[in-house]
Amino acid sequence: MPRYGRIGASLAAAALLASSLIGAAPATAAPLASSVLTYGSIGGSAVSVGDVIQASLASGTSATFYSSTSGSTGVKCAASSFSAKVLTNPTAPGTATESLTAQSFTSCTTNVFGTTGVQSVTVNNLPYATSVTSAGVLTITGSIQSTVVLNTLLGPTTCVYKATSLTGAATNGTNSITFTNQVLTKSSGPITCFSTAYFSARYSPVKDITKSGSPAVYVN
C-alpha cells in the first residue's frame, strides 16, 4: 500500500475512535465510603483514631438515678459530662470503638427519705470499653461502678452500684447520646440506698474536641 494510503487508514481509525469516545457516557467516580464516626456532617470527614469525643448534658436536662423506671425518687444531677478516646473507626456500616476515660456528675440533689443532701457521685474503675454501631447503638462494658455518698441526719451514707453493661442511643438529629433507665444494682450500702438505681441522661451536642472548633460528631 502507498504511504499516503497507510496514513489515510490511520486517520480514519483515529476518527472512528474519537467518535466512539465522544458518544460514550462519561465515567462516574464511585462515591467515597464514609466512616462510622464523622465530624461536621453526616458522611463528612472521618473522626481520627486518638481523637477525644466529649459531651455534657443537653440544655435543660438532668442525669437521674431513680429507684424505679416510672418514679422520681432518688438522685438528680444538674451537671454531667463524659470524655472518650476513639480507638477504631472503620468504614460504615460497622462498629467504632472507644475508651470512656472520664465521666462526672455534679450539682446533685436527693429526695430519698432520710437524706439531706448529696456529697458526691463518683464513677469508679475507668476506663470502660465503649462501642457504637452504624445503627446508633452505643454499648458500655466493664466493671461499671458508681459510688454515691449521701448526707443523712446520722452522718454520711455510702451507696455503691454496679453493672456489667449500659446501652444508649446515638441520634444524629440532635447530636445526642441518650441513656434511658439503665440498671445499676446495689452492691453495698444500708437500707437508705435503694436496691436498684435506674440511670437516665441525655448528652448533647457530642463533639470532637481534638479538631479545631470542636465540630459535632455523627454516626453513619
Side-chain angles (χ1 to χ4, degrees), residues 34-132:
S34 172
S35 294
V36 174
L37 300 176
T38 60
Y39 65 90
S41 65
I42 298 173
S45 301
V47 173
S48 302
V49 170
D51 279 10
V52 175
I53 292 175
Q54 189 179 79
S56 298
L57 291 177
S59 178
T61 69
S62 301
T64 56
F65 298 86
Y66 285 158
S67 60
S68 68
T69 58
S70 58
S72 58
T73 299
V75 173
K76 177 188 290 188
C77 299
S80 178
S81 64
F82 75 83
S83 296
K85 182 179 180 180
V86 177
L87 301 180
T88 64
N89 187 20
T91 301
T95 300
T97 60
E98 304 165 6
S99 176
L100 180 65
T101 56
Q103 188 169 21
S104 64
F105 297 91
T106 55
S107 301
C108 302
T109 58
T110 174
N111 62 357
V112 177
F113 180 77
T115 64
T116 59
V118 180
Q119 282 195 15
S120 62
V121 177
T122 306
V123 178
N124 312 120
N125 303 330
L126 291 165
Y128 301 148
T130 307
S131 64
V132 58

Side-chain angles (χ1 to χ4, degrees), residues 11-24:
L11 291 175
L16 180 61
L17 177 61
S19 65
S20 299
L21 291 173
I22 293 172

Side-chain angles (χ1 to χ4, degrees), residues 94-203:
T95 300
T97 60
E98 304 165 6
S99 176
L100 180 65
T101 56
Q103 188 169 21
S104 64
F105 297 91
T106 55
S107 301
C108 302
T109 58
T110 174
N111 62 357
V112 177
F113 180 77
T115 64
T116 59
V118 180
Q119 282 195 15
S120 62
V121 177
T122 306
V123 178
N124 312 120
N125 303 330
L126 291 165
Y128 301 148
T130 307
S131 64
V132 58
T133 71
S134 291
V137 178
L138 183 140
T139 305
I140 301 172
T141 56
S143 299
I144 299 169
Q145 178 176 301
S146 291
T147 301
V148 181
V149 181
L150 302 173
N151 292 326
T152 73
L153 294 175
L154 300 177
T157 291
T158 299
C159 311
V160 178
Y161 294 91
K162 293 185 177 182
T164 56
S165 67
L166 301 173
T167 301
T171 304
N172 283 335
T174 52
N175 292 115
S176 65
I177 294 174
T178 303
F179 297 93
T180 304
N181 290 327
Q182 294 302 292
V183 175
L184 295 99
T185 304
K186 183 177 79 172
S187 65
S188 66
I191 195 171
T192 304
C193 310
F194 38 84
S195 59
T196 303
Y198 294 91
F199 168 60
S200 297
R202 181 162 69 91
Y203 296 90

